[in-house]
Amino acid sequence: QVQPVESGGGLVQAGGSLRLSCAVPGRTFSSSAMAWFRQVPGKEREFVASISWSGGMTYYGDSVKGRFTISRDNAKNTVQLQMNSLRPEDTAVYYCAAGVAVLRHTARDEYSYWGQGTQVTVSS
């Protein structure tokens, strides 16, 4: 089955930056909205950012707006999440997701394909 593959997670100090990447097979990526969600143990998976199939529209969760930027390169079948000014509360497993005919870009259930996740840890 089609599965996005995330990379770029790691350990960073508060105030630092990380750039996450996600690769998806072209037949899925080219027609899909893409999103990043994050999750910590015991909590629901939280919306972080999403981007439309054309790349013309982006959406961000309130907690990351102004600090994170999502982008996509359809020619390379990749989506990126640039994370700046990281805080300890950003610590989570970050998941890349793809969805076809997405209407509610912040809704977890709109996305059909999910990666395994990549760990981001922000130290104090």
Side-chain angles (χ1 to χ4, degrees):
Q1 186 179 358
V2 171
Q3 184 179 49
V5 179
E6 305 97 334
S7 63
L11 175 64
V12 65
Q13 293 185 109
S17 299
L18 282 175
R19 185 175 178 86
L20 306 183
S21 295
C22 173
V24 187
R27 62 180 178 176
T28 299
F29 188 87
S30 63
S31 60
S32 297
M34 302 294 298
W36 291 92
F37 289 76
R38 65 188 183 187
Q39 188 169 29
V40 298
K43 297 187 67 177
E44 292 185 5
R45 198 164 292 190
E46 176 190 16
F47 173 75
V48 176
S50 66
I51 187 165
S52 64
W53 69 269
S54 68
M57 291 174 285
T58 57
Y59 308 86
Y60 297 94
D62 289 341
S63 64
V64 306
K65 192 172 185 178
R67 299 188 296 122
F68 292 8
T69 303
I70 189 171
S71 61
R72 70 188 295 163
D73 185 341
N74 288 355
K76 295 182 172 64
N77 298 339
T78 59
V79 62
Q80 289 73 230
L81 184 69
Q82 178 66 43
M83 305 184 294
N84 298 326
S85 301
L86 283 162
R87 305 164 180 167
E89 53 263 42
D90 294 319
T91 296
V93 176
Y94 283 70
Y95 296 90
C96 178
V100 178
V102 168
L103 297 177
R104 297 173 291 122
H105 283 253
T106 64
R108 184 180 59 198
D109 291 347
E110 290 276 4
Y111 297 90
S112 299
Y113 307 103
W114 293 83
Q116 296 272 39
T118 185
Q119 177 71 45
V120 172
T121 302
V122 184
S123 64
S124 300

